[in-house]
Amino acid sequence: MSPEALEAALRAIGEERYHILHPFHHMLHGGKLTKGQVQAWALNRYYYQASIPAKDASLIARLPTPELRREWRRRLEDHDGDGVHPGGVERWLALTDGLGLDRDYVVSLKGLLPGTRFAVDAYVQFVRERSLLEAIASSLTEMFSPNIISQRVSGMLRNYDFVTAETLTYFTPRLTQAPQDVAFALSYVKAHADTVEKQEQVLAALRFKCDLLWAQLDALHVAYVEPALPPPGAFRP
């Protein structure tokens, strides 16, 4: 495929598989969840957010040039902060605080669903062990994130009286950070996926990332919506 056709194929994967299509997200954005169910989503999603810096750090260690390392180091600071300004992980904890969850409990991961843990750990392992091209391609779900963020913020503010704009401050910086991340990663993938085999690997990496995001919502739906059977040790609203 040409680079342009490859980009179109990547975007088609998002149209089909991105977790904005999941029934749990429709319920979340549409005001159909209880506060306890929203708490369960935020608590489990924390593990994904907190694992992104570990994923990025493992990728930085493998990047061969200062230019590439500087680019990816910016992502690390976006999530971990710089010691003065809070990063995405801290802003996510502000969200769980705002929903009434005990911060120590959230950080302890004691209430985590096994499905969440397995999915997130698989992502960190994928980035650590696969080729640089596949690892970078797996980040391209961010191509689709501005749409889900805008739906999430407007829907949650409109439909839940226990959610405030301050609670959702995590999302505002991502509206500018994510497109910047995508511009680099997409350019890298289009430049380096120059064989049929590499292009197939890139497409498979994005499908894998979409699948693990979907799997996290499957776990939440089963545990807290239908049949609503949280496993032993998991958070119970």
Side-chain angles (χ1 to χ4, degrees), residues 12 14 19 33 48 71 75 80 83 86 90 96 116 133 135 166 174 195-196 198 201-202 204 212 214 232:
H19 64 304
L33 298 181
Y48 175 78
E71 169 64 31
R75 294 173 179 242
D80 268 349
E90 180 65 25
T96 58
T116 300
L133 182 60
E166 290 72 24
R174 294 305 301 160
T195 68
V196 171
K198 289 179 181 178
Q201 290 173 347
V202 162
L212 72 87
W214 194 279

Side-chain angles (χ1 to χ4, degrees), residues 156-184:
M156 292 182 73
L157 287 175
R158 182 171 59 250
N159 292 306
Y160 300 114
D161 59 8
F162 52 84
V163 170
T164 66
E166 290 72 24
T167 305
L168 301 179
T169 54
Y170 167 82
F171 298 104
T172 302
R174 294 305 301 160
L175 291 171
T176 54
Q177 291 169 352
Q180 185 178 6
D181 293 345
V182 168
F184 169 80

